[in-house]
Amino acid sequence: MGIISKIVKNISKAQKKLYSASKAQTKNTYKTASASKSYTPTTSSLSIHDNSYYQDDKNMSASEALDYLNSSELFHTNKYEEVTGNRNQILEGLNCVANGGRYKIDMDTDGDGELENVSIAEAVAASFDSELDLYIQEQLTKILGKYGHKIKTGFLCDEAVAELAEMGIQVNKINNRVYTFSLVDENGNVLEDENGNKGSIIFSDCLIPDGYAQGAEFNLSSLLDVMGYDCISKADFIGREDEYYEVISQVESNLNNGLYSAGEQKVEDIYGEVQTSWSPSSHGASSATSGELSNETQEAMEKELQEMEEDKQKEIQKVYEEKLKKEKEQYMEEHDGLEASGEALNSLTNQVRLEMVSRYGTDALHYLK
């Protein structure tokens, strides 16, 4: 059985389990997996915490935000989600994104059915507006820990996407750097909380666009949250970490009991034109027959992968040339204008090549001219 057929079969099984219960159950008092804990419904009957819980007045700098997240165990469940790495590069990207830079995408940010062209920071913040979104991200955390953070062959490999599909999470691609993860029903409509906020989040390879899901990129909603953007994020639970796991457990229980209903919007209604051929999903798999990709889908996939490879090669080559140029200039300053040559030049070159491997992985050497 092909991977697409397996996905379709798994989605069908999962969705029958998730969405069979009646909406009339939404007035119940819910219990977590721990028998010692129970919740009385708030004015919004499915919310474990009402909106006031997620309001704060933090306005941290990028550097302060990184340190704040790193202070909590919530951001250390596996090495791939940790907001560590090349701090200078992360800070540069985070400051750029937080100030409206990098990518812009079309998105219905307020549920009025109209698409607005917004920065990636605005889009990510707008997508994290429900406790459903916390649940989605928690499942992605487990996927990161199991398959790794390389986007093509780890984070969004076919096996990872199939596991997400079993949870009712559909994967869609907006462009080469931006992806969405949405809880959907059997018709592909996105699940909503009682306030009409969608269970759908955005992930973007936007801080260090290198084909990897960096921890800071994966937790961008939390960083933006404490830097002043309005969203519901894991950062709201720093200092009360146990409550985060209670919320995740309760959302999962609500899902298993079919307590969330879907609105009328599909993923494409929220984000405009989306693609599914790069990563198979419940929505995109319907165009395949007998467990195989159509010729058109296969060609689109191959073209896209080629474009990503070319983009990565250009990026690595550009960064390599810039770093080597700086090293040569610094050598000249330190040696009275004498250009590096022979053994000195080889040493500089090897040093920069090692930096590229540290940043992009060992396959970076294949891209250097």
Side-chain angles (χ1 to χ4, degrees), residues 266-284:
K266 299 183 184 298
V267 173
E268 54 265 35
D269 296 319
I270 302 173
Y271 304 106
E273 239 182 89
V274 293
Q275 302 173 37
T276 56
S277 60
W278 188 81
S279 293
S281 68
S282 59
H283 185 69

Side-chain angles (χ1 to χ4, degrees), residues 91-110:
L91 288 175
E92 180 182 354
L94 184 54
N95 279 314
C96 179
V97 166
N99 289 300
R102 298 286 164 86
Y103 315 124
K104 288 187 176 293
I105 68 169
D106 290 330
M107 179 182 175
D108 179 7
T109 58
D110 52 14

Side-chain angles (χ1 to χ4, degrees), residues 17 34 44 63 138 144 157 160 162 172 189 207 221 258 265 293 326 342 353 359:
K17 178 181 178 184
S34 170
S44 297
S63 181
E138 182 62 19
L144 273 179
C157 65
N172 290 85
N189 294 330
L207 302 183
S221 61
Q265 285 190 314
L293 295 173
K326 288 182 180 179
R353 289 171 73 88
R359 176 171 176 179

Side-chain angles (χ1 to χ4, degrees), residues 307-349:
E307 289 175 352
M308 290 187 69
E309 285 295 318
E310 291 174 354
D311 288 346
K312 184 175 182 180
Q313 179 176 355
K314 290 176 183 177
E315 177 187 341
I316 291 176
Q317 186 64 32
K318 179 181 178 181
V319 173
Y320 171 73
E321 291 175 356
E322 290 175 349
K323 284 184 172 292
L324 185 57
K325 181 181 178 182
K326 288 182 180 179
E327 290 295 332
K328 289 179 178 179
E329 290 173 349
Q330 183 175 343
Y331 181 91
M332 289 180 67
E333 289 178 6
E334 295 172 352
H335 294 80
D336 298 324
L338 180 67
E339 291 186 5
S341 61
E343 190 61 33
L345 179 58
N346 288 337
S347 177
L348 292 181
T349 302

Side-chain angles (χ1 to χ4, degrees), residues 111-310:
D112 64 356
E114 298 293 327
L115 298 178
E116 301 93 36
N117 189 246
V118 297
S119 69
I120 192 61
E122 292 174 289
V124 169
S127 75
F128 278 82
D129 59 359
S130 169
E131 289 166 344
L132 285 168
D133 303 319
L134 298 176
Y135 173 81
I136 295 172
Q137 185 173 19
E138 182 62 19
Q139 307 319 307
L140 295 183
T141 301
K142 296 173 183 176
I143 291 293
L144 273 179
K146 184 172 182 178
Y147 294 101
H149 68 153
K150 190 169 184 178
I151 293 175
K152 281 195 308 179
T153 57
F155 183 43
L156 289 180
C157 65
D158 286 351
E159 293 80 6
V161 173
E163 284 196 28
L164 290 170
E166 290 180 352
M167 305 172 199
I169 298 174
Q170 176 175 306
V171 183
N172 290 85
K173 175 184 166 189
I174 294 178
N175 62 39
N176 275 346
R177 302 293 184 189
V178 185
Y179 309 86
T180 70
F181 301 84
S182 310
L183 283 163
V184 298
D185 69 4
E186 64 273 16
N187 298 312
N189 294 330
V190 181
L191 295 189
E192 300 177 347
D193 64 17
E194 66 286 350
N195 298 313
N197 295 323
K198 308 292 187 296
S200 180
I201 67 172
I202 290 176
F203 163 79
S204 177
D205 180 21
C206 59
L207 302 183
I208 304 177
D210 58 356
Y212 290 82
Q214 305 291 344
E217 294 167 334
F218 184 76
N219 289 295
L220 183 55
S221 61
S222 289
L223 290 167
L224 293 173
D225 191 1
V226 298
M227 290 175 72
Y229 278 79
D230 181 21
C231 53
I232 292 176
S233 76
K234 285 175 71 172
D236 291 312
F237 295 87
I238 293 178
R240 44 193 182 188
E241 283 80 1
D242 57 332
E243 295 183 40
Y244 169 77
Y245 294 107
E246 291 168 3
V247 169
I248 297 303
S249 176
Q250 192 56 45
V251 171
E252 183 172 30
S253 176
N254 292 346
L255 282 168
N256 288 336
N257 287 295
L259 300 181
Y260 298 104
S261 59
E264 298 180 354
Q265 285 190 314
K266 299 183 184 298
V267 173
E268 54 265 35
D269 296 319
I270 302 173
Y271 304 106
E273 239 182 89
V274 293
Q275 302 173 37
T276 56
S277 60
W278 188 81
S279 293
S281 68
S282 59
H283 185 69
S286 61
S287 63
T289 59
S290 302
E292 300 296 333
L293 295 173
S294 67
N295 289 336
E296 183 179 352
T297 301
Q298 184 67 39
E299 290 174 3
M301 181 184 295
E302 291 174 357
K303 180 180 179 182
E304 186 174 344
L305 289 174
Q306 182 180 351
E307 289 175 352
M308 290 187 69
E309 285 295 318
E310 291 174 354

